[in-house]
Amino acid sequence: VQPSDDFEIPTDCECESWSDNGACKNQPTSSPTKSGPGTSSPTKSGPVRRPNIIVMQPDDMSFFDGWTPPPNSPGKKKPTPLPDDGMTHLENLRTGGIQFMQAYTASPVCGTSRFSTITGKYPSRSISGRGDTSEEKKDVNIPSTKLEETDCTTNNLAVTFQNNGYRTGMVGKWHLSVLKDYTYTSAQTEIKKCGFDFVDGLYTENLNDLKNGEGENNDDTFSHNMEWVTSEAIKFIDDDQKDEDGNDVPFFIYFNPTVPHGHHPVRDSFYPQPNTKYNCRGTPREVLTADPVVKTMTENGCAAYREGVASRAKNDDDLGNIWIDDAVGALIQTLKDKDIFDNTVFLFQQDHGMIVKGSLFDSSSRIPMFFHYPDLFPEGFTFDKAVSVLDIGPTLFEITGIEPNYKLDGISWLSAVSTSPTPAWWNERCIFAELDHDRSVRCGCYKYLLIDNQDADGNSDTYIKGKKKGYSVELENLFDLCDGGTEYVTDRLNNMEADGKDVSSANPSETETYKKLLQCHIDRTSPQDPTGYDACELSSTNSPISTPTPLTSSPTSPPTLAPTSSLSGSPSGSASGSPTGSPTGSQTNSPTGSQTGLPTPAPTSRKLLICLTKVERVNARKKDELKILHKKRMRGCKKFGEDIVKKKRCTNKRKALYKKEANKLVRAKKIGLRRCKNKFP
């Protein structure tokens, strides 16, 4: 029982459930206020209800100019406009909700980005692919980042919502499981183990992988099918369920369109008309006996609808984008018909950027993100501080009053968007990103990028793609994303990560600060012990994180890294105009211990020689074993006989795998030798 003198009318009386500490379990502890002009409260009167939740993540969608993307690649001048019809449904979500102006994915490729979204954890923490614990950094890629073991059964958003009274659904592209002996039904069963009550409209992988992989589409009967995917999502939403008190059970759905991913051309579903190569009835599950009926889309039949989409598109790129927008409109119509639109969180985000896709430059790692929830935020506004897909879980859990039973890397931004002015800590918040063995960190205006290798045939896509597109690809790069000012540069023709924009040599103190900051993250997510969840930050001032981590590899003598309002060394080298949230550049008590890339002492002891010899011998043995395995794999391609196309595809995959594993052995050897020298100086 709450004492009557503790109540504030009317908000406290609206709470349905209280925690032991007197906080309302199913609403924020304070009423958010709009971050921007005006003083009207965004909260509505009436009983507090746990919201329904839609998290939507289309595949390879563009970052349109009207959404304020990062600059284009150096030398690229082509604009990215919205389709002529304006994509009105997505625009309504954007302008009627919160538009995050500086949102980032934790890893800029399809599967790794989805892993971080559904778990709230960095992909380097995934249990899958942790066979080699000798590496300092996990090789972050799609094959090694799957939902396995407790990542599937315990430590993700779906399981947490399911365990807290939500019904949960997954529709569309998955990309997070290794499925053997594929059948559609067995795939549904496996994915349901990861916390989903409903799984349908399912594409387990990219369409090209489905066609040429485990037999899911060997007969080439289907392609992208947004009508079917959307109809399955609506079927899940429409499946009203009541709790024991007769109230509607809220839902959580992870909705992932396969479009506009280009591995299977979207145009094949629209041209030639009227007899397109693929239609609405071809699906991975079965060939449907009738067209899916989706209100606002296919009431007049699928063929007529697709002809209408084609007539609204001025090029092939528009087809997938219009298709997605229409699906958003159909979902919104369903929510409105059920009178639950205002009480539904609709989170829309890109999986990654498309300019220099699969690299750690901002053109790939920064994404559009819109958060629409009228019951809490009835008016739209923008939030210009850095956020991550990792924050989705913590924020949704705070809004719904759920306490997860596992650790997450993200933080809730609910209080930040609800407070004006935004707490100062958010100006210098650090955002990390991972891909392959490369890592990056951005805090305020500075961004530090660490590239693992500069091998043209290596596994650093950041180096390979960046070099091709005119980016700075030094092993260590420091960028000033504000170009000497205090605001993030969005001029599409002024890329602050271009070749020649590296400012590390002119700012050695800042470079060293960010190098240690990134090393902190690498240590916390190491394959050897990925259990450290303390945040690596520049400062704990006004931080929402309770236990910020000192930036040092040693438990003693941490460096002083708290930023100040004025700096003696700005990115441009002048004393004025320093970026918001930049470090002071001064340090004390630098951490001890050797770091990657630093000189190591010459051999001085017999124990050291023994250690070095052992590393060399183990590495040589593994190389020989890998060569034997590679020959065996290559012989397996002979099964394709005279089918030259399939045989070439097979050999190319085997060669790429061999190269990747050989590079892994090279890195393991370097790490082993370095450890010997550190242990026996």
Side-chain angles (χ1 to χ4, degrees):
V1 177
Q2 294 292 314
S4 60
D5 55 0
D6 287 346
F7 280 76
E8 295 179 4
I9 306 297
T11 55
D12 287 345
C13 292
E14 294 169 1
C15 190
E16 298 171 350
S17 174
W18 296 91
S19 64
D20 293 337
N21 64 2
C24 180
K25 287 184 177 180
N26 55 1
Q27 73 178 75
T29 54
S30 61
S31 296
T33 56
K34 182 171 177 285
S35 178
T39 58
S40 60
S41 172
T43 56
K44 294 187 176 183
S45 61
V48 175
R49 302 170 294 169
R50 287 196 299 175
N52 306 297
I53 299 167
I54 299 173
V55 175
M56 181 175 181
Q57 197 168 18
D59 198 6
D60 282 12
M61 192 172 187
S62 297
F63 200 148
F64 298 105
D65 293 337
W67 296 351
T68 319
N72 283 346
S73 292
K76 181 181 182 294
K77 298 181 180 181
K78 183 180 178 181
T80 309
L82 287 165
D84 286 346
D85 75 346
M87 299 181 68
T88 55
H89 305 298
L90 271 173
E91 282 294 274
N92 287 337
L93 290 182
R94 180 178 74 89
T95 59
I98 307 173
Q99 179 182 1
F100 292 92
M101 307 303 290
Q102 298 185 51
Y104 285 83
T105 180
S107 185
V109 288
C110 304
T112 56
S113 176
R114 282 166 171 74
F115 176 91
S116 295
T117 295
I118 200 64
T119 64
K121 300 190 297 182
Y122 286 105
S124 55
R125 295 193 190 278
S126 66
I127 292 174
S128 66
R130 283 202 171 276
D132 185 359
T133 57
S134 66
E135 292 189 305
E136 180 188 30
K137 294 178 288 186
K138 180 182 175 181
D139 189 0
V140 173
N141 53 52
I142 293 173
S144 68
T145 310
K146 303 294 183 182
L147 283 184
E148 295 182 356
E149 300 180 30
T150 55
D151 287 339
C152 170
T153 59
T154 307
N155 301 341
N156 66 64
L157 273 62
V159 171
T160 304
F161 281 117
Q162 187 182 57
N163 290 340
N164 284 273
Y166 274 72
R167 54 189 184 93
T168 54
M170 207 304 293
V171 175
K173 177 179 173 179
W174 179 238
H175 222 180
L176 290 172
S177 296
V178 176
L179 301 169
K180 298 180 180 179
D181 301 321
Y182 170 88
T183 66
Y184 189 84
T185 302
S186 66
Q188 288 177 297
T189 300
E190 287 301 308
I191 296 169
K192 285 180 178 179
K193 294 177 183 177
C194 296
F196 295 101
D197 303 310
F198 176 94
V199 176
D200 218 328
L202 175 64
Y203 293 76
T204 57
E205 300 286 346
N206 288 329
L207 275 159
N208 60 321
D209 297 326
L210 303 184
K211 181 179 177 182
N212 300 313
E214 297 295 326
E216 183 170 344
N217 190 23
N218 279 344
D219 57 359
D220 203 19
T221 58
F222 65 85
S223 182
H224 302 286
N225 191 336
M226 280 301 297
E227 297 86 356
W228 175 61
V229 170
T230 306
S231 70
E232 292 299 327
I234 292 173
K235 180 191 300 183
F236 169 74
I237 293 172
D238 274 339
D239 184 20
D240 296 321
Q241 296 182 18
K242 305 290 184 181
D243 61 20
E244 58 187 14
D245 297 322
N247 300 314
D248 289 336
V249 175
F251 65 78
F252 166 83
I253 183 170
Y254 192 31
F255 181 60
N256 292 322
T258 61
V259 293
H261 198 292
H263 280 177
H264 229 234
V266 174
R267 70 170 287 113
D268 287 347
S269 297
F270 291 90
Y271 303 107
Q273 296 177 8
N275 300 312
T276 58
K277 183 175 181 180
Y278 303 105
N279 58 41
C280 291
R281 300 191 184 187
T283 78
R285 186 182 69 202
E286 62 189 347
V287 177
L288 305 178
T289 57
D291 291 349
V293 178
V294 181
K295 188 176 180 180
T296 74
M297 291 177 72
T298 64
E299 292 109 325
N300 296 321
C302 184
Y305 165 69
R306 290 192 178 183
E307 287 181 15
V309 172
S311 69
R312 293 149 58 195
K314 62 182 179 183
N315 54 48
D316 286 359
D317 290 338
D318 284 353
L319 293 171
N321 296 320
I322 293 172
W323 221 359
I324 288 173
D325 190 59
D326 286 354
V328 171
L331 294 180
I332 289 174
Q333 186 62 53
T334 300
L335 299 174
K336 289 182 176 179
D337 289 346
K338 296 175 68 63
D339 196 25
I340 57 174
F341 178 62
D342 286 354
N343 189 45
T344 297
V345 170
F346 201 134
L347 175 70
F348 177 90
Q349 68 178 27
Q350 200 178 24
D351 50 356
H352 51 73
M354 287 302 294
I355 300 177
V356 202
K357 170 188 172 181
S359 73
L360 292 183
F361 300 106
D362 265 33
S363 298
S364 178
S365 58
R366 226 193 90 204
I367 59 173
M369 180 187 290
F370 316 140
F371 183 90
H372 189 272
Y373 181 22
D375 264 0
L376 196 59
F377 302 104
E379 299 178 39
F381 58 94
T382 61
F383 184 69
D384 65 353
K385 310 305 178 186
V387 299
S388 168
V389 298
L390 299 167
D391 303 334
I392 294 170
T395 302
L396 293 177
F397 292 151
E398 181 175 4
I399 289 174
T400 56
I402 292 173
E403 294 186 7
N405 61 356
Y406 72 100
K407 293 181 179 180
L408 295 86
D409 284 302
I411 58 175
S412 172
W413 41 250
L414 186 61
S415 62
V417 303
S418 306
T419 306
S420 184
T422 305
W425 178 86
W426 284 85
N427 293 325
E428 62 202 31
R429 188 210 175 165
C430 296
I431 297 288
F432 298 88
E434 310 173 332
L435 187 64
D436 303 323
H437 286 88
D438 304 330
R439 301 291 187 267
S440 71
V441 57
R442 180 204 162 183
C443 313
C445 286
Y446 278 119
K447 176 177 176 179
Y448 179 78
L449 170 62
L450 181 66
I451 295 178
D452 181 72
N453 66 80
Q454 294 175 316
D455 184 353
D457 297 320
N459 78 328
S460 172
D461 282 345
T462 299
Y463 171 77
I464 295 170
K465 295 179 179 180
K467 185 176 179 62
K468 182 179 179 180
K469 295 290 186 178
Y471 286 82
S472 175
V473 289
E474 301 297 328
L475 291 176
E476 293 184 78
N477 304 267
L478 184 70
F479 303 117
D480 171 20
L481 301 182
C482 301
D483 198 17
T486 59
E487 300 293 332
Y488 182 94
V489 173
T490 57
D491 179 355
R492 64 185 181 89
L493 301 181
N494 186 20
N495 193 300
M496 303 314 301
E497 297 171 291
D499 188 20
K501 293 285 189 176
D502 172 27
V503 299
S504 58
S505 59
N507 297 273
S509 296
E510 286 79 2
T511 302
E512 187 64 20
T513 295
Y514 279 80
K515 180 177 182 178
K516 290 174 181 175
L517 186 66
L518 193 56
Q519 187 62 47
C520 170
H521 171 75
I522 292 170
D523 292 342
R524 292 296 176 269
T525 58
S526 166
Q528 300 158 36
D529 183 23
T531 58
Y533 280 82
D534 293 343
C536 301
E537 296 290 342
L538 286 172
S539 169
S540 61
T541 305
N542 297 319
S543 170
I545 303 170
S546 58
T547 53
T549 298
L551 305 185
T552 174
S553 56
S554 170
T556 60
S557 304
T560 301
L561 293 170
T564 59
S565 57
S566 61
L567 305 181
S568 58
S570 69
S572 59
S574 62
S576 62
S578 57
T580 303
S582 300
T584 60
S586 62
Q587 297 167 258
T588 59
N589 301 325
S590 298
T592 59
S594 176
Q595 298 186 33
T596 303
L598 297 182
T600 51
T604 57
S605 69
R606 182 171 179 273
K607 289 184 178 180
L608 173 61
L609 293 176
I610 293 174
C611 182
L612 295 175
T613 302
K614 183 177 180 180
V615 170
E616 294 280 4
R617 287 177 177 174
V618 170
N619 189 263
R621 175 175 55 81
K622 289 186 176 182
K623 285 174 66 176
D624 290 338
E625 291 173 350
L626 178 60
K627 290 178 181 178
I628 294 172
L629 178 60
H630 176 60
K631 291 180 180 179
K632 183 178 179 180
R633 288 170 175 166
M634 294 297 285
R635 286 196 298 269
C637 294
K638 293 181 179 180
K639 67 182 181 181
F640 294 107
E642 300 299 320
D643 192 329
I644 298 176
V645 174
K646 288 186 176 180
K647 183 182 290 186
K648 185 176 181 180
R649 184 183 296 120
C650 177
T651 57
N652 287 342
K653 285 184 177 180
R654 300 295 189 269
K655 289 178 181 178
L657 180 61
Y658 174 77
K659 184 180 292 185
K660 177 182 176 181
E661 292 175 338
N663 288 336
K664 194 173 182 180
L665 288 179
V666 171
R667 288 191 298 273
K669 177 181 176 181
K670 290 180 180 178
I671 292 171
L673 295 175
R674 187 185 307 121
R675 286 178 178 168
C676 289
K677 294 175 183 179
N678 289 339
K679 188 174 182 179
F680 305 110

